[in-house]
Amino acid sequence: MEENKILETAEYVKEKLSGDSSGHDWFHTYRVWKLGKKIGVAEGVNLSIIEPACLLHDIADYKLHGGDREIGPKLAGEWLESLNVESCIVNAVKEIILNLSFLGVDNVKPMKTLEGKCVRDADFLDAMGAIGIARCFAFGGAKGNIMYDPSIPINKNMSKEEYSKANHSSINHFYEKLLLLKYYMETETGKKMAVDRHNFMKQYLSQFFKEWDGEI
Ligand code: ADP
Ligand code: NI
């Protein structure tokens, strides 16, 4: 996809997402775009699908649209068509966006294309590490969830059904999703980058619980 169309897409998404405080603000998309490019280049994958897919991946989250998983791909497709982007790119981007989300441990299927693997690894990386921790508490707060309550059991094997209904504490979310992401990375570059972010979250949780218990 041509550079001017990429930049126009970035402007469109920036406008649409600015002001969001639920974890899907423009800067999440911006980081995923950068990460996607970095992974794509390292993996030797053409960026003409990766860049628009990263930029458009969160323009309409199904969670904020009554569970409608088609709306994101549909809007992304309409935008790219309005720029006269070739239909093979439009279809590839729509397919990636449709299959991107983490919907519980029984529902993470490998991405079909190498481009898709790069985009999902980038999106998953941004849910990990220091940024992932910040997003987790920001999202939990926006939803009105509690930070932590030891009486709420942790479920490490949530099905799609349970995951979509869960209203657990933000600390529970680490065990229900964030600490599992490392195992779902699909590119060699993504796997390598996930190591530090994963370890940082484990270290954070260890400190959190020590402080919780007044040990330190
Ligand atoms: P993504 O942009 O990776 O598709 P999601 O839409 O699933 O992410 O969620 C946005 C951000 O909010 C992510 O960082 C995610 O880990 C976090 N998040 C999602 N659900 C919860 C939750 N129940 N509690 C805390 N954080 C959450
Ligand atoms: Ni995302």
Side-chain angles (χ1 to χ4, degrees):
M1 210 168 122
E2 299 89 333
E3 182 71 11
N4 65 321
K5 291 185 182 174
I6 294 288
L7 296 178
E8 225 181 299
T9 302
E11 278 309 310
Y12 163 72
V13 177
K14 191 172 174 183
E15 186 109 324
K16 225 166 146 48
L17 298 183
S18 61
D20 178 290
S21 59
S22 70
H24 282 130
D25 56 301
W26 156 248
F27 289 109
H28 161 61
T29 290
Y30 179 79
R31 291 187 301 267
V32 171
W33 180 26
K34 298 287 155 194
L35 284 168
K37 281 203 271 190
K38 181 173 169 160
I39 296 170
V41 168
E43 298 286 319
V45 185
N46 190 307
L47 299 182
S48 61
I49 292 168
I50 292 181
E51 287 200 76
C54 285
L55 281 169
L56 293 162
H57 86 278
D58 272 335
I59 44 162
D61 190 331
Y62 69 94
K63 293 195 278 326
L64 309 172
H65 288 86
D68 182 358
R69 294 191 59 226
E70 303 288 332
I71 187 151
K74 183 168 169 279
L75 282 184
E78 284 169 4
W79 168 256
L80 294 175
E81 275 158 12
S82 79
L83 293 179
N84 291 319
V85 172
E86 304 93 287
S87 61
C88 59
I89 295 187
V90 177
N91 291 335
V93 169
K94 285 172 76 174
E95 209 265 341
I96 290 175
I97 297 176
L98 184 66
N99 292 302
L100 211 54
S101 288
F102 181 96
L103 299 167
V105 286
D106 59 345
N107 215 267
V108 184
K109 308 218 165 55
M111 293 299 278
K112 289 184 196 134
T113 60
L114 209 57
E115 289 85 355
K117 293 179 199 297
C118 295
V119 176
R120 190 160 68 187
D121 281 7
D123 194 31
F124 280 2
L125 279 172
D126 201 57
M128 302 174 74
I131 298 267
I133 294 170
R135 289 182 75 212
C136 175
F137 290 110
F139 183 101
K143 270 197 14 177
N145 290 351
I146 193 167
M147 176 177 82
Y148 179 52
D149 177 348
S151 72
I152 304 174
I154 284 164
N155 181 355
K156 292 184 188 172
N157 283 300
M158 277 180 146
S159 65
K160 181 179 175 188
E161 180 84 20
E162 290 164 328
Y163 186 78
S164 67
K165 288 204 193 114
N167 234 353
H168 293 165
S169 78
S170 297
I171 288 291
N172 282 33
H173 187 67
F174 281 84
Y175 298 93
E176 290 158 358
K177 172 180 170 185
L178 306 185
L179 293 173
L180 308 175
L181 293 175
K182 180 175 103 159
Y183 304 103
Y184 293 112
M185 303 304 285
E186 293 194 84
T187 67
E188 285 313 308
T189 313
K191 282 180 194 167
K192 276 194 211 123
M193 290 179 75
V195 174
D196 273 354
R197 292 182 188 227
H198 181 85
N199 291 342
F200 186 83
M201 291 192 294
K202 282 181 67 174
Q203 196 192 332
Y204 171 81
L205 287 168
S206 146
Q207 171 97 7
F208 182 97
F209 287 116
K210 281 188 199 148
E211 291 180 15
W212 187 271
D213 292 332
E215 278 177 36
I216 52 172

